[in-house]
Amino acid sequence: MPKSKEIYNFSAGPAALPDAVKQRIQAEWLDYQGLGVSVVEIGHRSVQFEELYQQAVQSFLELLELNADYEVLFVHGGASMQFAMVALNFMHSQKAAYVNTGMWATNAIQEARHYGQIEVVASSEEQNFNQIPNIPKLNQHFDYLHITLNNTIYGTEFHQLPEVQNNLPLIADASSNILSRRLEAQRFSMLYGGMQKNLGVAGIGFAIIHKSLLRPTKTHIPALLDYKSYVKYESRCNTPNTFGIYVTALVLDWIRQTGGVKKLEQQNIQKSELVYAQIDSSDFYTCFVKIGSRSRVNVVFSLPSLELENQFIQQATEQGLLFLKGHRARGGLRASMYNAMPISGAKKLTKFMQAFEQQYG
Ligand code: PMP
């Protein structure tokens, strides 16, 4: 069915998928690779599924410029389940360092506290999470340092990676900016997150783990929470979310065909700069995030009153600019522009912002 108007989806997650991916799902739905059945009706160990799985793993490694020292795993339960899994699997001496940059980081800390001693070594809580804090040199022993690379709710993002000493493993929740920018991925011992922003559908996550991190633990970990069982069974300890893995495989393919992470990064810079420039050029819109910490994928901003914000959302929706409401914990507005958002979406948003300001500013 043709679209009556151009729709741009600014949802923070589950978020927009590339049109090409949705079209491919539709085209393949009734007949996957000439089998006459759909991809969700075949076994997770079938030849056809095995092929798409292995391709997805290879694409992921290539796009992150990582070698076979890393395992690529597809994990049940989204990002939040891994808050506990990271601690359960890697807090061998029961002491870990965390950086608190917002609600998701706080949730990761709270989960990890059940399994050992957590030290919050840097936090921007006192600044209402409007910036990425400086991380001090860590002199004591920790099992790992955990950061949240992009803070979806508060619109902040690490633009410089922390320097770690003495081979301290660096672990990051990369849910909202994975493959949206080039990353020195080899500086991490682990990257993990949910798929539903840049990589596919909700309820399934990724874990990219350096093999050196995968050591035996002192206590038993339930199989489905143990990264080693995901390695052993190539993410298929039991029946996985095959549709989720399939969609991610298609998104990874799309990223490669679109020109890779470098090209998407340039587009993401361009999109976010367009919207930030619009905000900064007026007194009507404000962005509370400190320059230098601003996210390229979640642009968070406010208007002079709640009433104007509600009007903005209503009129934007009528014009096909969807889901611009900020997270309930933060309020205001939020334009989430992950890889699938074309530059034309950011342009349409800035034009709408100009027109709205002219009318109400
Ligand atoms: N971490 C970050 C940075 C997120 O943005 C989110 C979801 N918005 C989560 C973790 C939680 O993800 P999930 O709902 O998949 O558990």
Side-chain angles (χ1 to χ4, degrees):
M1 206 166 65
K3 287 179 184 170
S4 55
K5 64 180 168 225
E6 242 176 336
I7 303 283
Y8 292 105
N9 178 5
F10 291 90
S11 172
L17 284 170
D19 280 345
V21 168
K22 289 187 284 186
Q23 281 154 4
R24 198 166 150 194
I25 296 168
Q26 192 176 39
E28 294 180 345
W29 187 244
L30 293 180
D31 182 6
Y32 184 70
Q33 295 203 346
L35 286 171
V37 298
S38 82
V39 70
V40 295
E41 300 169 290
I42 64 173
H44 50 293
R45 297 182 213 285
S46 63
V47 176
Q48 291 79 6
F49 194 82
E50 183 64 25
E51 193 182 309
L52 90 82
Y53 178 85
Q54 297 300 344
Q55 262 175 21
V57 168
Q58 279 318 311
S59 297
F60 220 147
L61 284 178
E62 275 172 38
L63 290 167
L64 286 169
E65 297 180 21
L66 291 175
N67 60 23
D69 290 340
Y70 285 82
E71 298 284 356
V72 173
L73 307 172
F74 294 83
V75 181
H76 293 289
S80 300
M81 201 173 79
Q82 295 195 57
F83 293 160
M85 286 175 74
V86 165
L88 267 168
N89 282 264
F90 304 130
M91 225 193 312
H92 298 286
S93 60
Q94 293 183 305
K95 208 164 176 219
Y98 276 69
V99 177
N100 191 2
T101 47
M103 200 176 102
W104 298 113
T106 307
N107 287 1
I109 292 165
Q110 277 169 357
E111 280 290 69
R113 283 214 160 110
H114 295 292
Y115 308 103
Q117 196 186 328
I118 301 302
E119 194 152 321
V120 178
V121 293
S123 169
S124 51
E125 191 170 7
E126 282 183 12
Q127 292 79 34
N128 291 321
F129 300 121
N130 75 345
Q131 58 195 274
I132 298 294
N134 289 326
I135 300 173
K137 206 170 160 191
L138 305 175
N139 294 319
Q140 319 165 44
H141 171 79
F142 292 107
D143 289 315
Y144 59 81
L145 168 66
H146 180 283
I147 61 173
T148 310
L149 273 179
N150 182 80
N151 297 281
T152 325
I153 296 173
Y154 295 90
T156 64
E157 184 172 14
F158 277 84
H159 294 292
Q160 266 121 37
L161 298 184
E163 296 289 339
V164 286
Q165 284 85 31
N166 305 325
N167 296 324
L168 174 67
L170 180 60
I171 295 183
D173 172 356
S175 289
S176 44
N177 68 352
I178 186 78
L179 299 179
S180 71
R181 61 184 298 153
R182 282 171 300 164
L183 193 65
E184 292 166 90
Q186 70 289 345
R187 285 178 58 182
F188 294 87
S189 292
M190 177 182 188
L191 291 162
Y192 73 94
M195 299 295 196
Q196 67 271 28
K197 299 168 202 302
N198 269 310
L199 281 176
V201 298
I204 175 168
F206 60 90
I208 319 281
I209 307 176
H210 193 274
K211 288 177 178 163
S212 62
L213 211 54
L214 293 157
R215 298 194 304 275
T217 47
K218 286 180 210 142
T219 49
H220 170 76
I221 302 174
L224 289 177
L225 299 179
D226 187 347
Y227 289 114
K228 291 187 296 305
S229 47
Y230 283 82
V231 171
K232 186 171 172 193
Y233 297 104
E234 296 190 297
S235 309
R236 285 157 290 176
C237 333
N238 68 334
T239 318
N241 177 349
T242 52
F243 181 70
I245 295 174
Y246 162 71
V247 176
T248 297
L250 297 190
V251 174
L252 292 167
D253 216 31
W254 172 81
I255 296 176
R256 283 167 48 153
Q257 283 174 22
T258 325
V261 177
K262 192 174 168 190
K263 173 103 183 282
L264 289 167
E265 178 182 35
Q266 285 163 353
Q267 286 178 11
N268 291 333
I269 292 172
Q270 211 183 330
K271 288 181 289 185
S272 57
E273 281 183 351
L274 274 169
V275 182
Y276 284 124
Q278 188 57 43
I279 294 166
D280 291 339
S281 69
S282 95
D283 295 328
F284 187 64
Y285 299 106
T286 26
C287 171
F288 91 129
V289 181
K290 225 174 137 182
I291 290 173
S293 294
R294 289 176 169 184
S295 167
R296 291 174 183 167
V297 284
N298 305 106
V299 179
V300 173
F301 59 103
S302 310
L303 269 75
S305 71
L306 184 62
E307 203 186 343
L308 279 169
E309 283 174 355
N310 288 337
Q311 242 165 330
F312 181 99
I313 291 161
Q314 193 196 329
Q315 291 187 23
T317 309
E318 284 162 10
Q319 298 201 20
L321 300 163
L322 308 187
F323 303 115
L324 283 159
K325 194 172 165 57
H327 189 277
R328 61 193 180 283
R330 160 78 187 92
L333 302 157
R334 171 172 55 172
S336 298
M337 300 182 289
Y338 306 114
N339 286 340
M341 173 63 68
I343 292 169
S344 55
K347 286 189 178 154
K348 184 166 168 176
L349 174 62
T350 51
K351 260 179 106 173
F352 172 77
M353 289 169 76
Q354 279 164 19
F356 191 84
E357 182 177 357
Q358 263 166 25
Q359 198 177 348
Y360 298 95

Short mmCIF file of all heavy atoms in Angstrom, two decimals, residues 12-13 77-81 83 104-105 148 150-153 173-176 193-197 202-204 338, ligand 1:
data_model
loop_
_atom_site.label_atom_id
_atom_site.label_comp_id
_atom_site.label_asym_id
_atom_site.label_seq_id
_atom_site.Cartn_x
_atom_site.Cartn_y
_atom_site.Cartn_z
N ALA A 12 12.43 5.52 20.37
CA ALA A 12 13.72 5.20 21.01
C ALA A 12 13.99 3.70 21.04
O ALA A 12 15.12 3.26 21.22
CB ALA A 12 13.73 5.76 22.42
N GLY A 13 12.95 2.91 20.91
CA GLY A 13 13.15 1.47 20.92
C GLY A 13 12.00 0.77 21.60
O GLY A 13 11.59 1.20 22.68
N GLY A 77 16.55 -12.46 26.16
CA GLY A 77 16.20 -11.55 27.25
C GLY A 77 16.58 -10.09 27.13
O GLY A 77 16.41 -9.35 28.08
N GLY A 78 17.04 -9.63 26.01
CA GLY A 78 17.36 -8.20 25.88
C GLY A 78 18.56 -7.81 26.70
O GLY A 78 19.30 -8.67 27.20
N ALA A 79 18.74 -6.50 26.84
CA ALA A 79 19.94 -6.02 27.53
C ALA A 79 19.85 -6.24 29.04
O ALA A 79 20.83 -6.59 29.70
CB ALA A 79 20.15 -4.54 27.25
N SER A 80 18.65 -6.07 29.59
CA SER A 80 18.51 -6.08 31.05
C SER A 80 18.91 -7.42 31.67
O SER A 80 19.45 -7.46 32.78
CB SER A 80 17.07 -5.76 31.45
OG SER A 80 16.73 -4.48 30.97
N MET A 81 18.64 -8.51 30.99
CA MET A 81 19.03 -9.80 31.56
C MET A 81 20.55 -9.89 31.68
O MET A 81 21.09 -10.51 32.60
CB MET A 81 18.49 -10.96 30.73
CG MET A 81 18.43 -12.25 31.53
SD MET A 81 17.60 -13.54 30.60
CE MET A 81 18.90 -14.05 29.50
N PHE A 83 22.49 -7.52 32.47
CA PHE A 83 23.02 -6.77 33.62
C PHE A 83 23.45 -7.77 34.70
O PHE A 83 24.51 -7.65 35.31
CB PHE A 83 21.96 -5.82 34.20
CG PHE A 83 21.57 -4.67 33.30
CD1 PHE A 83 20.37 -4.01 33.50
CD2 PHE A 83 22.39 -4.25 32.26
CE1 PHE A 83 20.00 -2.94 32.68
CE2 PHE A 83 22.03 -3.19 31.44
CZ PHE A 83 20.82 -2.53 31.65
N TRP A 104 19.74 3.32 32.89
CA TRP A 104 20.16 1.97 32.51
C TRP A 104 21.44 1.57 33.23
O TRP A 104 21.59 0.42 33.66
CB TRP A 104 20.30 1.83 30.99
CG TRP A 104 18.99 2.05 30.32
CD1 TRP A 104 18.65 3.07 29.50
CD2 TRP A 104 17.80 1.25 30.48
NE1 TRP A 104 17.32 2.97 29.12
CE2 TRP A 104 16.79 1.86 29.70
CE3 TRP A 104 17.48 0.09 31.19
CZ2 TRP A 104 15.49 1.35 29.62
CZ3 TRP A 104 16.20 -0.42 31.11
CH2 TRP A 104 15.23 0.20 30.34
N ALA A 105 22.34 2.54 33.40
CA ALA A 105 23.57 2.26 34.14
C ALA A 105 23.21 1.94 35.59
O ALA A 105 23.77 1.01 36.19
CB ALA A 105 24.51 3.46 34.07
N THR A 148 28.16 2.56 30.15
CA THR A 148 27.02 2.54 29.22
C THR A 148 27.38 3.51 28.11
O THR A 148 27.44 4.72 28.33
CB THR A 148 25.72 2.98 29.94
OG1 THR A 148 25.61 2.22 31.15
CG2 THR A 148 24.50 2.76 29.08
N ASN A 150 26.07 4.69 25.31
CA ASN A 150 25.12 5.73 24.92
C ASN A 150 23.92 5.65 25.85
O ASN A 150 23.36 4.57 26.04
CB ASN A 150 24.67 5.55 23.47
CG ASN A 150 23.72 6.65 23.04
OD1 ASN A 150 24.14 7.75 22.70
ND2 ASN A 150 22.43 6.38 23.08
N ASN A 151 23.56 6.81 26.42
CA ASN A 151 22.49 6.83 27.41
C ASN A 151 21.21 7.31 26.74
O ASN A 151 20.96 8.51 26.60
CB ASN A 151 22.93 7.69 28.59
CG ASN A 151 24.14 7.05 29.24
OD1 ASN A 151 24.00 6.11 30.02
ND2 ASN A 151 25.33 7.50 28.87
N THR A 152 20.42 6.34 26.34
CA THR A 152 19.23 6.51 25.52
C THR A 152 18.25 7.53 26.10
O THR A 152 17.62 8.28 25.36
CB THR A 152 18.52 5.13 25.41
OG1 THR A 152 19.51 4.10 25.39
CG2 THR A 152 17.67 5.04 24.19
N ILE A 153 18.11 7.53 27.43
CA ILE A 153 17.10 8.39 28.06
C ILE A 153 17.60 9.83 28.17
O ILE A 153 16.88 10.78 27.92
CB ILE A 153 16.74 7.84 29.46
CG1 ILE A 153 16.08 6.46 29.31
CG2 ILE A 153 15.84 8.81 30.22
CD1 ILE A 153 15.83 5.73 30.61
N ASP A 173 27.68 -1.61 27.89
CA ASP A 173 26.33 -1.73 27.36
C ASP A 173 26.28 -0.81 26.14
O ASP A 173 26.40 0.41 26.26
CB ASP A 173 25.33 -1.28 28.45
CG ASP A 173 23.89 -1.19 27.94
OD1 ASP A 173 23.67 -1.39 26.73
OD2 ASP A 173 23.00 -0.89 28.76
N ALA A 174 26.16 -1.41 24.98
CA ALA A 174 26.18 -0.64 23.72
C ALA A 174 24.82 -0.73 23.03
O ALA A 174 24.72 -0.63 21.81
CB ALA A 174 27.28 -1.17 22.81
N SER A 175 23.76 -0.92 23.84
CA SER A 175 22.42 -1.14 23.28
C SER A 175 22.03 -0.12 22.24
O SER A 175 21.46 -0.47 21.21
CB SER A 175 21.37 -1.05 24.40
OG SER A 175 21.45 -2.14 25.26
N SER A 176 22.27 1.17 22.53
CA SER A 176 21.69 2.18 21.64
C SER A 176 22.66 2.79 20.64
O SER A 176 22.22 3.58 19.80
CB SER A 176 20.95 3.25 22.44
OG SER A 176 21.68 3.66 23.55
N GLY A 193 24.18 -5.74 24.46
CA GLY A 193 23.01 -4.86 24.40
C GLY A 193 21.81 -5.58 23.84
O GLY A 193 21.87 -6.76 23.48
N GLY A 194 20.72 -4.84 23.74
CA GLY A 194 19.50 -5.36 23.11
C GLY A 194 19.56 -5.04 21.62
O GLY A 194 20.29 -4.17 21.19
N MET A 195 18.77 -5.74 20.84
CA MET A 195 18.80 -5.57 19.37
C MET A 195 17.88 -4.45 18.88
O MET A 195 17.98 -4.03 17.73
CB MET A 195 18.34 -6.86 18.69
CG MET A 195 19.17 -8.08 18.95
SD MET A 195 20.83 -7.91 18.30
CE MET A 195 21.33 -9.66 18.37
N GLN A 196 16.91 -4.02 19.72
CA GLN A 196 15.74 -3.32 19.18
C GLN A 196 15.95 -1.85 18.78
O GLN A 196 14.98 -1.17 18.48
CB GLN A 196 14.59 -3.42 20.20
CG GLN A 196 14.80 -2.70 21.51
CD GLN A 196 15.48 -3.54 22.57
OE1 GLN A 196 16.24 -4.44 22.26
NE2 GLN A 196 15.23 -3.25 23.83
N LYS A 197 17.21 -1.41 18.80
CA LYS A 197 17.44 -0.02 18.36
C LYS A 197 18.16 0.02 17.01
O LYS A 197 17.67 0.56 16.04
CB LYS A 197 18.19 0.75 19.42
CG LYS A 197 17.40 0.80 20.72
CD LYS A 197 18.22 1.29 21.86
CE LYS A 197 17.66 0.86 23.18
NZ LYS A 197 16.27 1.29 23.42
N ALA A 202 13.02 -6.62 19.63
CA ALA A 202 13.21 -6.67 21.08
C ALA A 202 13.19 -8.11 21.61
O ALA A 202 12.72 -9.03 20.94
CB ALA A 202 12.10 -5.87 21.75
N GLY A 203 13.71 -8.25 22.83
CA GLY A 203 13.63 -9.55 23.50
C GLY A 203 14.83 -10.44 23.24
O GLY A 203 14.90 -11.57 23.73
N ILE A 204 15.77 -9.95 22.48
CA ILE A 204 16.98 -10.71 22.19
C ILE A 204 18.14 -9.72 22.22
O ILE A 204 17.96 -8.54 21.91
CB ILE A 204 16.87 -11.44 20.83
CG1 ILE A 204 18.17 -12.15 20.47
CG2 ILE A 204 16.43 -10.52 19.70
CD1 ILE A 204 18.04 -13.11 19.29
N TYR A 338 18.47 6.38 14.86
CA TYR A 338 19.46 5.31 14.71
C TYR A 338 19.77 5.14 13.22
O TYR A 338 19.33 5.93 12.39
CB TYR A 338 18.93 4.01 15.34
CG TYR A 338 18.50 4.18 16.79
CD1 TYR A 338 17.16 4.05 17.17
CD2 TYR A 338 19.44 4.48 17.77
CE1 TYR A 338 16.77 4.20 18.49
CE2 TYR A 338 19.04 4.64 19.11
CZ TYR A 338 17.71 4.50 19.45
OH TYR A 338 17.32 4.65 20.76
N1 PMP B 1 20.53 -0.32 28.13
C1 PMP B 1 20.24 0.74 27.37
C2 PMP B 1 21.31 1.75 27.08
C3 PMP B 1 18.95 0.89 26.85
O1 PMP B 1 18.65 1.95 26.11
C4 PMP B 1 17.97 -0.09 27.14
C5 PMP B 1 16.57 -0.03 26.58
N2 PMP B 1 16.08 1.14 26.20
C6 PMP B 1 18.33 -1.16 27.94
C7 PMP B 1 19.62 -1.26 28.41
C8 PMP B 1 17.33 -2.23 28.31
O2 PMP B 1 17.08 -3.00 27.21
P1 PMP B 1 16.04 -4.22 27.26
O3 PMP B 1 14.69 -3.59 27.32
O4 PMP B 1 16.32 -4.94 25.98
O5 PMP B 1 16.34 -5.02 28.45
#
